[in-house]
Amino acid sequence: MSKSITTVIFLFLFTDRWTNLLWDMIVSKSDSTVTLNVLISQMFGPYGTYPGPMYAASVLLTLPLIILFLIFSKRFQDGMQFTLK
């Protein structure tokens, strides 16, 4: 019973940390430590945007979240049903 609730908490915390842009912008000082979130936000330049690479990077950014959800989908659904009872 606790596995499903733990899985829900893990997925929510991982999603929050994965998409946390502000902390990544504060911590990454050099170009070698920049995360994908920061790179996507830097594609909005003063001369316009670069939509092709931005869309590709957005797909790469969401791919691990989708894979994790698909792996843990049964436990996630069980945990959500348990919390709604």
Side-chain angles (χ1 to χ4, degrees):
M1 190 182 300
S2 68
K3 285 182 183 179
S4 58
I5 296 172
T6 305
T7 303
V8 169
I9 293 171
F10 166 74
L11 286 174
F12 283 151
L13 289 176
F14 183 80
T15 304
D16 179 53
R17 177 60 198 111
W18 187 257
T19 59
N20 195 353
L21 175 64
L22 183 62
W23 178 251
D24 294 340
M25 290 179 85
I26 292 171
V27 172
S28 60
K29 299 293 183 191
S30 66
D31 289 337
S32 63
T33 60
V34 171
T35 61
L36 193 55
N37 291 338
V38 176
L39 283 176
I40 292 173
S41 70
Q42 288 176 352
M43 287 184 189
F44 291 102
Y47 305 110
T49 61
Y50 305 103
M54 191 179 343
Y55 295 150
S58 298
V59 168
L60 288 177
L61 186 65
T62 58
L63 203 58
L65 297 174
I66 293 171
I67 290 171
L68 274 176
F69 179 75
L70 291 175
I71 290 172
F72 295 114
S73 64
K74 177 68 175 151
R75 288 190 182 166
F76 182 78
Q77 291 171 359
D78 293 341
M80 291 304 289
Q81 287 177 356
F82 181 76
T83 57
L84 295 177
K85 287 183 180 180

